[in-house]
Amino acid sequence: MALRSKSDKSTGHRIVRSPARNARRKAALDRCASQDSLDELSLDDYWKEVENIHQSSGSDAEQQDEVQLKVPDEGEQEEAWLAEAGLATLFDESVAVPEDTMSLLSTLTRTQAAAVQRRVETVKQTLRKKNKQHQVPDVRDIFKPPTELRGSSCAGQAGSVCENGEGIAARSETHVDLEASFSEQALVYKEGTKGGGAPSDADDKLPTFRIPREKTGTTKVGDLGPADMKKVQRLALIEMTALFDTASIDLKAHKAVKLKFKESGLFGVPLSTLLEQDQKRVPGTKVPLILQRLISRIEEEGLDTEGLLRIPGVATRVKAMCLELEVKFYEGTFAWETLKQHDAASVLKLFIRELPHPLLTVEHLSAFTSVLKLPTRKQQLQALNLLVLLLPQASRDTLKVLLEFFERVIDHKEQNKMTLNNVAMVMAPNIFMFKGFRHKISEQQEFNMASEMANIVRLLIRYQNLLWTIPKFIMDQVRKQNMENQKKMSRDRAMRKILKKMAYDREKSDKQEKNPGDGAQGFIRVQAPQFSKISMAVQLTNDLQASDILARFVNQESGHPVKREDISLYEVGGNISERCLDEEAYMKDLMELNPSADWVIRPVQR
């Protein structure tokens, strides 16, 4: 069944109610006691922005297909979830390699395993109802009984979660533990509080969370190669689902029905299409060039302008500028000095909401809007962290650039009067209420959604520096999965690759023996094949960090002067494909974690 939004037929936009009715809705909201009350703001900025969006659309706007959402049939959502998690073989043995599935399952925590088990059971029951001749493995053959799981060290987790969650509960409220599974922490919280309690910071103030430094270094999105990032996303999906399961929150994932969209241009074009266009002109582009240029134009005029992002541009002028940009942007003939600052901000917001699919994706939109149902602020932050990891790269990179821009605007709040709350209120309808999508809901539900959406944007902006971090427990699971896969390689055709690598290692070892000290105990060899000094031996000490190696390399590189900020140290091979190292990572601890790795200096990927 497809759901259509309630919208103006001539514009595809939501019909805004009359001011008098809006006043009644505001009064109802003021009486509503949500767990994340924003009574100080009364959402005036939010509803004014919705009004501006409606007015800017105009009655003669171009008709476009509305986004339609397909509601999955019974069992269909679980099948899609298992497939996205890389576990399709649990209900269809023809679509995946069982060994890969088992290596993934072997790394799961008890809460993650329970989440998978629950969905396998649902698929199994659905297939029985449909009388399909489908061979689905018995769940008991895949997982240990729940009693065994509780007595295990979290079902093989490669992190530091103690048996039965011991050591998790005694954590500070503002301490974000990345070593223990988030869902395991949530289960301990639930068992300790018997499932009760709202966030302790239910007022408008947000706490300052901190992440303790890891000796092996923090891993950020973008530090890993594609193969390992795919594993991260599969584990993040399982972990996010397990986290919501602990709070008994049922996520209803939607699927966007494929429709025809513009295949070229700037506005109303899918992100993927935009990036394909841009990469032909500027190789390596990760964020649409038009968005980057609009942000630059706004910042050229200074960020002290009062009401920046809130005060709309002149609607007729904004529309004319958009038409002109469509023709002249790629030709490089658009006169940017004629684009006024408030007009530029309006064009930027229009660009976001005109995307055919929402920036946060149709598939994960319901999960984003359900985050505030989690019982603590820390769990809400953890869920957002996992959701950011799940976004497609184009959406994630674009969201990051936007959030960084919003933060710069907020830095000038004393002058521009745009606080965190103000910016969240103004941007929420542009990010969530994308073109042509509305649910048929009651007025009170619409109020609640407005507050929730503004709060989610508020959290995304406030905690953006934490949200692009890959939790250590997921990294440990990726490493363990890689090790399991490497063990199985000896039983298939990959044996030839292993033998080739062994020959290469012997050759490398022979070369190292010719260089004094290279193979001696307590030294590591750092490769730099893209520079004139192709390798160097470094003594391994307890306090040696990645930054020390980079500083030494810069001092010794004589062929072409190298700037310190232009190079990074990578961990390559062993139990990871490749990882750009945090400069504060301690090399001795890394060697113990991945003794088979190579250490390679490469230019920074811009």
Side-chain angles (χ1 to χ4, degrees):
M1 179 178 67
L3 295 180
R4 280 186 174 270
S5 60
K6 185 175 182 180
S7 59
D8 186 294
K9 292 181 180 179
S10 65
T11 66
H13 284 275
R14 172 181 165 285
I15 300 174
V16 180
R17 296 176 174 88
S18 67
R21 195 171 185 184
N22 279 338
R24 291 197 299 272
R25 294 162 69 224
K26 177 181 180 298
L29 177 64
D30 290 339
R31 293 193 298 270
C32 175
S34 107
Q35 70 170 13
D36 296 288
S37 175
L38 292 174
D39 291 337
E40 293 177 23
L41 304 168
S42 72
L43 290 173
D44 282 347
D45 287 342
Y46 183 97
W47 297 116
K48 286 177 183 176
E49 182 65 20
V50 173
E51 179 78 26
N52 292 334
I53 291 172
H54 173 67
Q55 291 177 351
S56 68
S57 66
S59 60
D60 58 345
E62 181 182 351
Q63 182 80 29
Q64 288 192 19
D65 287 329
E66 294 179 355
V67 171
Q68 301 178 42
L69 302 184
K70 183 179 183 298
V71 179
D73 296 329
E74 184 181 7
E76 184 181 350
Q77 177 173 311
E78 287 75 15
E79 287 189 17
W81 185 91
L82 288 166
E84 188 178 351
L87 297 171
T89 188
L90 297 184
F91 65 88
D92 186 351
E93 295 179 356
S94 67
V95 299
V97 181
E99 286 79 4
D100 292 341
T101 298
M102 296 313 296
S103 65
L104 172 57
L105 291 174
S106 70
T107 70
L108 299 184
T109 68
R110 57 175 175 168
T111 48
Q112 292 172 349
V116 174
Q117 183 173 349
R118 190 172 294 114
R119 280 142 191 89
V120 172
E121 285 281 17
T122 301
V123 172
K124 186 176 179 181
Q125 291 170 7
T126 303
L127 293 176
R128 282 174 180 167
K129 288 180 183 178
K130 294 179 179 179
N131 294 319
K132 286 188 176 180
Q133 298 301 315
H134 229 301
Q135 186 175 1
V136 179
D138 194 302
V139 177
R140 290 169 297 183
D141 296 334
I142 303 170
F143 301 99
K144 296 179 181 179
T147 53
E148 291 182 38
L149 282 173
R150 282 197 174 274
S152 71
S153 297
C154 300
Q157 178 175 340
S160 62
V161 180
C162 299
E163 186 173 342
N164 290 326
E166 292 177 9
I168 297 178
R171 297 288 190 183
S172 165
E173 275 300 309
T174 56
H175 172 104
V176 181
D177 186 357
L178 298 183
E179 293 191 26
S181 160
F182 295 158
S183 54
E184 292 289 334
Q185 297 178 51
L187 186 60
V188 170
Y189 171 85
K190 181 178 180 179
E191 293 171 346
T193 61
K194 297 185 179 179
S200 59
D201 57 316
D203 58 13
D204 192 43
K205 297 180 180 178
L206 296 176
T208 299
F209 288 103
R210 68 181 187 86
I211 298 177
R213 299 296 306 180
E214 297 294 338
K215 298 208 76 175
T216 54
T218 301
T219 306
K220 294 283 189 178
V221 172
D223 288 347
L224 296 180
D228 284 337
M229 193 60 203
K230 186 175 182 179
K231 294 184 180 73
V232 165
Q233 289 190 303
R234 288 175 171 176
L235 288 162
L237 175 64
I238 297 171
E239 176 65 15
M240 181 202 69
T241 307
L243 178 59
F244 279 99
D245 281 355
T246 62
S248 302
I249 299 171
D250 186 22
L251 295 179
K252 292 295 183 185
H254 289 91
K255 230 179 182 179
V257 176
K258 289 185 178 180
L259 299 173
K260 285 192 73 174
F261 298 115
K262 290 171 60 179
E263 297 180 357
S264 62
L266 299 176
F267 302 96
V269 180
L271 273 178
S272 58
T273 303
L274 273 172
L275 289 174
E276 285 177 13
Q277 293 175 173
D278 292 348
Q279 287 166 359
K280 292 176 182 177
R281 295 167 172 83
V282 183
T285 299
K286 295 182 178 180
V287 176
L289 295 175
I290 180 62
L291 181 62
Q292 296 182 47
R293 190 62 186 89
L294 285 168
I295 291 174
S296 297
R297 177 57 187 158
I298 295 170
E299 293 187 317
E300 284 171 6
E301 296 294 312
L303 299 180
D304 291 343
T305 307
E306 186 170 341
L308 185 60
L309 295 178
R310 177 174 55 81
I311 297 176
V314 178
T316 54
R317 199 163 58 211
V318 168
K319 181 178 179 181
M321 288 295 180
C322 289
L323 293 173
E324 192 174 346
L325 278 166
E326 288 278 15
V327 175
K328 297 182 178 180
F329 177 71
Y330 285 122
E331 293 178 356
T333 57
F334 181 77
W336 285 96
E337 67 277 4
T338 64
L339 183 60
K340 298 181 182 296
Q341 191 177 43
H342 288 309
D343 291 348
S346 291
V347 173
L348 180 145
K349 290 187 289 185
L350 183 142
F351 169 82
I352 298 169
R353 66 177 181 267
E354 288 289 306
L355 289 170
H357 296 300
L359 190 59
L360 302 181
T361 73
V362 168
E363 292 78 5
H364 299 302
L365 203 62
S366 65
F368 273 100
T369 56
S370 298
V371 162
L372 294 180
K373 296 177 183 177
L374 290 166
T376 70
R377 185 69 75 199
K378 186 186 294 186
Q379 288 181 33
Q380 294 168 7
L381 175 60
Q382 291 167 337
L384 286 175
N385 182 193
L386 296 168
L387 282 165
V388 166
L389 297 180
L390 283 171
L391 290 176
Q393 183 177 347
S395 296
R396 189 171 56 234
D397 291 341
T398 301
L399 178 64
K400 189 172 193 298
V401 166
L402 281 171
L403 295 179
E404 289 171 347
F405 169 60
F406 299 155
E407 188 171 44
R408 293 194 295 273
V409 171
I410 294 166
D411 287 342
H412 293 255
K413 61 186 176 185
E414 297 298 329
Q415 293 77 33
N416 60 32
K417 312 302 180 187
M418 294 300 292
T419 64
L420 170 63
N421 292 325
N422 296 137
V423 173
M425 287 292 169
V426 169
M427 295 309 305
N430 291 284
I431 292 174
F432 280 95
M433 291 191 171
F434 57 98
K435 185 176 178 66
F437 171 56
R438 298 292 184 273
H439 283 294
K440 294 180 180 179
I441 56 176
S442 68
E443 289 188 13
Q444 187 62 57
Q445 285 175 314
E446 187 172 3
F447 276 125
N448 294 339
M449 282 181 60
S451 178
E452 289 168 1
M453 289 187 288
N455 268 292
I456 293 300
V457 174
R458 193 168 65 123
L459 295 177
L460 287 170
I461 297 172
R462 175 67 175 84
Y463 299 118
Q464 58 183 286
N465 291 333
L466 305 181
L467 299 180
W468 266 255
T469 302
I470 301 176
K472 185 176 184 299
F473 73 89
I474 287 183
M475 286 299 303
D476 290 341
Q477 289 179 291
V478 169
R479 290 181 186 276
K480 183 174 180 181
Q481 192 176 340
N482 285 338
M483 290 173 65
E484 291 296 321
N485 288 335
Q486 287 173 8
K487 290 177 184 177
K488 294 176 176 66
M489 284 175 65
S490 60
R491 298 196 296 268
D492 59 23
R493 288 176 294 180
M495 175 60 74
R496 286 176 294 178
K497 294 183 180 180
I498 296 177
L499 294 173
K500 185 177 180 180
K501 186 179 185 305
M502 290 172 60
Y504 169 77
D505 289 342
R506 282 196 298 270
E507 181 181 351
K508 185 171 71 172
S509 177
D510 292 341
K511 290 180 180 179
Q512 289 179 352
E513 288 176 3
K514 298 175 184 178
N515 298 300
D518 286 358
Q521 189 175 4
F523 282 80
I524 59 171
R525 176 152 293 278
V526 179
Q527 310 291 330
Q530 293 174 266
F531 299 92
S532 58
K533 184 176 179 60
I534 60 173
S535 69
M536 65 179 185
V538 179
Q539 186 173 8
L540 198 61
T541 61
N542 289 332
D543 58 353
L544 179 69
Q545 293 181 298
S547 58
D548 300 324
I549 293 177
L550 293 172
R552 177 175 171 179
F553 179 80
V554 169
N555 291 334
Q556 293 187 4
E557 173 68 9
S558 58
H560 299 283
V562 178
K563 293 183 179 179
R564 173 65 189 76
E565 61 270 20
D566 291 339
I567 57 174
S568 295
L569 181 61
Y570 282 77
E571 171 190 3
V572 181
N575 54 36
I576 205 80
S577 294
E578 65 174 38
R579 173 186 173 224
C580 182
L581 293 183
D582 176 359
E583 293 189 5
E584 296 185 24
Y586 286 87
M587 298 306 298
K588 189 169 184 179
D589 293 272
L590 271 172
M591 282 289 294
E592 293 173 358
L593 179 65
N594 191 5
S596 300
D598 289 327
W599 312 102
V600 182
I601 292 176
R602 295 175 181 168
V604 171
Q605 299 295 319
R606 301 295 184 187

